[in-house]
Amino acid sequence: MALAGDLSEEVRSETVRGRAGFFRVGQARDGAWWLIDAEGRPFFAAAANEAEAGAAERLRNWNFTTLGAGAAEALREDGWPWVGTVDFCGAGPVIRAAGVRVPDVFDPDWERRARGRAAEVCASSAAERALVGWLADDGIAWGRGGVTLLQVCLSLEPGFAAYHAAWEFVLALHRGRIEAMAKAWGVPIANKEVVREMTRADEALASRGYWRDNVQWTREMARRYFAGTAAAIRASDGNHLVLGAREEWNAGPAGANVSELAAAVSDVPWVSWREPGALSAGPVWVGDFCWAREEFYGGRGSRLTTVERMLRKGRKELRRLIAAPAVVGYSWVRWRDRPGERAPLGSGLVRADGTEAREHTELVADINGRIGSLRGFSAS
């Protein structure tokens, strides 16, 4: 399923990340990044997330090359390259709210728990040559719009370490005084309980002053999360690539540039297709792509257009992503439509009843079949 040919003479050795005999990544002399499979061949990951058992024949027909996040383990028996997920959110206290799902990385036991989780999940697959790499979590969420991450943490129960860390963090920015914080935010906050009551009432802090502090806090939590999870994975499995984390759909941390923090410690960070800046650095894996989404047309609440225009724009965007030198793979967002979605604007490759979503699959199959030419690769 790799592209025919050899990159051994083209890849700059100093750029290679990963271990020989397993999936690696490296940059060719023309500037393009590539995955390199266990046999040393150039590889581009055209993946389908959440592929279900029995999907192998359809995936082949649609020219997919890889099992994405959340794919059924039974599919691995056919020899498919696959993406693993550690699920660090299952290793200890997790902060959960609308748009927020992240481990309490300030918990004094967080690093030990993370290492234990990685040892439990990663060590048993360390010799798997078909494993491309590890996502820390499938469904991390840093908050987007409404009540954001800092407000959530300031409103937690005192049993969460992140509650105390958040208040220490924000007060340190404002001379240690709630009055100074309230003035900077332009919000009448007399004590900590006021913030908790606002959160319970779903009343979002939204001033410019608050937003600056929220961005700093989000980046600090993300830094701790990505550094801790990457270190834990590598301690248990030094053979496979670290891929960052998959965000919940529509839950990106607006303004916080979390992908930069993932890239600092990951071999191939899993980034949103909504972050064009990430596509200029590389190597990156573009996660959760789908052209039947409001955000594809300008943001949440944007009006979806005709099917013809959707597919024309979708073709252009997917071809652009595949051709981008920094991109080594992409993932279609999900296998099956979510409840309530209707053709032709569902997000799955198959509809809720399992029938093929031809408005997606025929075009995807064609583009996937042209990856070599889109990447400018010619076999030697």
Side-chain angles (χ1 to χ4, degrees), residues 291-310:
W291 48 59
R293 298 167 62 161
E294 293 173 341
E295 289 79 2
F296 200 84
Y297 299 90
R300 186 178 298 179
S302 296
R303 183 178 179 183
L304 287 172
T305 184
T306 64
V307 174
E308 292 79 8
R309 185 181 173 201
M310 174 184 75

Side-chain angles (χ1 to χ4, degrees), residues 286-342:
V286 178
D288 299 313
F289 181 84
C290 177
W291 48 59
R293 298 167 62 161
E294 293 173 341
E295 289 79 2
F296 200 84
Y297 299 90
R300 186 178 298 179
S302 296
R303 183 178 179 183
L304 287 172
T305 184
T306 64
V307 174
E308 292 79 8
R309 185 181 173 201
M310 174 184 75
L311 296 180
R312 185 168 62 249
K313 184 176 174 64
R315 178 191 292 110
K316 179 179 179 181
E317 185 67 10
L318 184 53
R319 288 169 63 95
R320 181 187 72 84
L321 290 175
I322 290 172
V327 177
V328 300
Y330 86 93
S331 297
W332 188 270
V333 62
R334 61 176 46 83
W335 176 252
R336 189 180 294 264
D337 282 354
R338 296 184 302 177
E341 291 185 334
R342 295 177 180 274

Side-chain angles (χ1 to χ4, degrees), residues 41-305:
R41 298 172 298 183
F43 187 92
F44 186 91
N49 294 334
E50 304 169 17
E52 299 170 3
E57 183 176 357
R58 280 176 156 179
L59 290 172
R60 291 191 189 95
N61 290 340
W62 301 333
N63 294 316
F64 282 101
T65 67
T66 309
L67 303 177
E73 291 188 16
L75 291 170
R76 301 175 192 171
E77 297 174 2
D78 289 342
W80 287 86
W82 55 281
V83 171
T85 302
V86 183
D87 185 25
F88 286 101
C89 281
V94 177
I95 300 165
R96 300 177 187 271
V100 173
R101 181 177 183 263
V102 62
D104 186 350
V105 294
F106 292 91
D107 189 296
D109 211 24
W110 154 246
E111 291 188 2
R112 184 192 67 79
R113 290 175 182 271
R115 289 194 300 270
R117 182 65 177 178
E120 176 187 348
V121 175
C122 302
S124 61
S125 297
E128 292 284 343
R129 286 162 59 87
L131 171 60
V132 180
W134 293 106
L135 286 169
D137 279 289
D138 183 354
I140 202 76
W142 303 102
R144 176 173 176 161
V147 175
T148 50
L149 181 62
L150 176 57
Q151 183 175 348
V152 168
C153 291
L154 293 173
S155 305
L156 292 169
E157 294 301 319
F160 282 89
Y163 166 79
H164 303 283
W167 276 108
E168 290 175 9
F169 178 88
V170 76
L171 290 176
L173 297 176
H174 301 286
R175 306 192 302 278
R177 298 169 53 214
I178 288 182
E179 312 91 85
M181 179 196 76
K183 182 178 180 180
W185 290 0
V187 181
I189 298 175
N191 53 56
K192 296 178 180 180
E193 190 59 28
V194 171
V195 178
R196 182 175 283 120
E197 289 300 323
M198 291 178 66
T199 305
R200 287 173 180 163
D202 200 29
E203 183 180 349
L205 292 163
S207 68
R208 183 175 299 178
Y210 166 78
W211 190 253
R212 284 196 298 266
D213 293 353
N214 177 65
V215 167
Q216 289 190 58
W217 175 250
T218 301
R219 289 181 62 82
E220 176 58 20
M221 287 202 72
R223 183 191 66 78
R224 287 172 175 258
Y225 170 81
F226 286 116
T229 56
I233 291 170
R234 291 186 174 114
S236 290
D237 180 1
N239 294 330
H240 293 105
L241 300 172
V242 175
L243 305 178
R246 182 189 183 194
E247 293 177 18
E248 283 187 0
W249 197 21
N250 292 342
N257 296 322
V258 165
S259 61
E260 295 178 0
L261 303 170
V265 294
S266 303
D267 298 305
V268 184
W270 185 286
V271 304
S272 169
W273 54 269
R274 301 186 302 269
E275 300 179 82
L279 306 186
S280 63
V284 297
W285 187 310
V286 178
D288 299 313
F289 181 84
C290 177
W291 48 59
R293 298 167 62 161
E294 293 173 341
E295 289 79 2
F296 200 84
Y297 299 90
R300 186 178 298 179
S302 296
R303 183 178 179 183
L304 287 172
T305 184

